[in-house]
Amino acid sequence: MTENAWMNSGTLLIVAQWLLGLFVLLLIIGLISIAVMYVVDKTQTKHTIRRNFPVVGRFRYVFENLGEFFRQYFFAMDREEMPFNRAQRSWVYRAAKNADRTLAFGSTRDLTKNGTIIFANSPYPRQTEEKTQPQPVRIGPHCEHPYEPVSYFHISGMSYGSLSPVAVRALSKGAKLAGCWMNTGEGGLSPYHLEGECDIVFQIGTAKYGVRNQDGTLNELRLKELGEHKLIKMFELKLSQGAKPGKGGILPALKVNKEIAEIRGIPEGKDSISPNRHPEIKTDDDLLDMIDKIRGITGKPVGIKFVMGDPSWIDELIQTIQRRGIESAPDFITLDSADGGTGAAPQPLMDYVGLKLSESLPLLVDKLIAAGLKERIRVVASGKMISPADVAWAIAIGADFVVSARGFMFSIGCIQAMQCNKNTCPTGVTTHDKKLQKGLDPEEKSVRVANYHKYLEYGVNIIAHSCGVSDPRQLNRRHGRIVTHTGDSVSLAERYPPQAPR
């Protein structure tokens, strides 16, 4: 054997001995760690599983944490997940990417489930050339500057703070391309909302972020400045929201950076928790007074947003409006659904408080029609409206507009990781971690926002034409049906009989 061969074999032997020693060392460390964990687990009293099954019981918490990430890919069927299943998300992703949205081999949707919505096709559907152009719908006829949007599908309230700057920028630019409005959410007006030069609805939450004095009262001078802004078309006074009816917004301290604190008018680095209601609004008269004040200062339409609780409150509000005069009414009502939203919230509120939109929307529309206020007060439907069928149903019931938050989040890359409140969103949508934000390109995603909007309205058009009308706004309750507990369906017009004005 040559000298070089002896040297090479000697080197290999040394490396092998070193690796063997390292392995033995790691094995010893591992055994010691297991022994320590065993003693700790057997002596601690906080966790029953770890006490009864030392060391092995620790894997339960690991698997529990990983479960939410793996279920949607490996275990859940296409229609099983909540709050949005794979079939729903997949449609949004394909629409946003302008990819093929057709399916083969039949529907995976259970058409016999109680509450399922289907549409009644006409024997003589409208042809493409019979499509009519949607007409503008006026909001705020008694305002100095009424608003007349053409589109019926818009971006719901999501605040800067809850969303990252790149996400807000993408939505703003996408809204401009789509021709729809963008609601600021309760976090105030940021530069990112304005970058796309889209129409803006400024939301005033219970903490009055962006229009607040230090004591939390309304800053009328700042409100007047916003009213003069050409991009701000309307103001929305938020009473409650779907994620947490009866409780104010929650923004954890780790998201309250210097810029967000300045925009909102709050201390930096501290939890930002809004009051559960506007302190100065205690009665229906107080509410209409506040609406009148905001409308008078800004000259623009003012509406309210809430989750319906006791439906009799709507009757009381209508009576107050009729006593004071039709001009005193809110210019629009955004009706949110009580089954959650983009914000983090206490589970008891998200799961158990408020009415779902499927129940509350027909109630609101019918009460407004009966009072002769439906043309005066425009209805905006909100709450899990992400597909053409959702939007078509809401319009058929009587909504004038539909807004979506999570649908547009999916369009810019959200994967329903359920990390919205932890600053660890892997797609950069709801995090202020610069490294995670790098994955979201606002220019690219803005096009996806516009695509999603385009193909959602295109899908609603397909449903409308199949039902025999030339424009989605012509849809009514006769065109929709709802499956009952028997597995058969009844017309929405039978389930919710149309009201005649009193």
Side-chain angles (χ1 to χ4, degrees), residues 38 238 376 422:
Y38 183 91
K238 190 181 84 169
R376 170 69 181 90
K422 299 178 182 178

Side-chain angles (χ1 to χ4, degrees), residues 215-262:
D215 61 358
T217 56
L218 183 66
N219 185 325
E220 297 184 16
L221 181 59
R222 174 58 178 160
L223 181 64
K224 189 174 189 305
E225 292 174 357
L226 293 174
E228 294 170 351
H229 201 295
K230 66 177 183 179
L231 293 180
I232 298 178
K233 305 299 183 180
M234 300 194 298
F235 290 82
E236 181 180 78
L237 188 65
K238 190 181 84 169
L239 305 183
S240 58
Q241 68 182 84
K244 38 188 172 287
K247 187 174 179 62
I250 303 169
L251 189 67
L254 51 82
K255 284 190 171 186
V256 186
N257 59 32
K258 182 179 179 182
E259 183 182 37
I260 290 170
E262 290 177 352

Side-chain angles (χ1 to χ4, degrees), residues 259-473:
E259 183 182 37
I260 290 170
E262 290 177 352
I263 290 171
R264 294 193 176 206
I266 56 176
E268 180 183 355
K270 293 185 179 180
D271 287 338
S272 182
I273 302 176
S274 304
N276 66 342
R277 68 168 174 83
H278 293 272
E280 66 273 56
I281 300 178
K282 304 180 182 69
T283 66
D284 294 338
D285 278 301
D286 291 342
L287 175 60
L288 297 183
D289 286 343
M290 177 63 80
I291 291 170
D292 187 61
K293 175 186 284 189
I294 297 171
R295 192 160 45 210
I297 292 172
T298 65
K300 293 181 177 178
V302 180
I304 55 176
K305 176 180 181 177
F306 60 82
V307 176
M308 187 182 293
D310 182 356
S312 65
W313 173 66
I314 304 300
D315 298 321
E316 295 167 4
L317 179 62
I318 287 173
Q319 290 172 7
T320 306
I321 291 170
Q322 291 174 329
R323 172 170 54 82
R324 295 173 57 134
I326 196 171
E327 296 84 0
S328 68
D331 297 304
F332 64 93
I333 289 176
T334 301
L335 183 64
D336 208 357
S337 187
D339 43 9
T342 56
Q347 188 173 359
L349 292 179
M350 189 178 288
D351 285 351
Y352 298 107
V353 179
L355 300 185
K356 295 190 301 180
L357 191 70
S358 57
E359 181 178 1
S360 61
L361 182 60
L363 284 170
L364 175 64
V365 170
D366 287 348
K367 288 176 183 296
L368 292 178
I369 291 174
L373 291 172
K374 181 61 175 63
E375 292 301 312
R376 170 69 181 90
I377 304 174
R378 299 300 181 181
V379 175
V380 184
S382 173
K384 298 182 75 173
M385 304 275 102
I386 73 168
S387 74
D390 298 329
V391 175
W393 168 84
I395 293 174
I397 288 293
D400 297 291
F401 304 96
V402 175
V403 293
S404 177
R406 287 170 288 184
F408 283 100
M409 288 176 67
F410 287 140
S411 76
I412 59 175
C414 168
I415 61 171
Q416 195 170 281
M418 315 293 275
Q419 303 290 302
C420 306
N421 60 325
K422 299 178 182 178
N423 208 35
T424 54
C425 171
T427 60
V429 176
T430 64
T431 179
H432 290 273
D433 185 324
K434 298 293 185 183
K435 294 179 181 178
L436 294 173
Q437 288 177 14
K438 287 182 179 179
L440 199 162
D441 180 357
E443 298 299 328
E444 167 70 21
K445 300 301 185 182
S446 67
V447 176
R448 295 193 180 187
V449 169
N451 281 340
Y452 169 55
H453 181 275
K454 172 184 176 181
Y455 290 113
L456 185 135
E457 290 203 341
Y458 175 75
V460 178
N461 271 311
I462 290 177
I463 292 173
H465 294 170
S466 179
C467 290
V469 297
S470 60
D471 182 82
R473 291 194 183 279

Side-chain angles (χ1 to χ4, degrees), residues 41-68:
D41 288 350
K42 289 296 287 185
T43 56
Q44 61 85 34
T45 58
K46 188 175 182 180
H47 302 283
T48 303
I49 294 295
R50 284 171 52 193
R51 187 176 177 88
N52 289 340
F53 303 95
V55 183
V56 177
R58 291 173 177 257
F59 286 98
R60 171 183 180 272
Y61 304 101
V62 175
F63 294 147
E64 189 177 61
N65 184 55
L66 293 175
E68 64 183 278

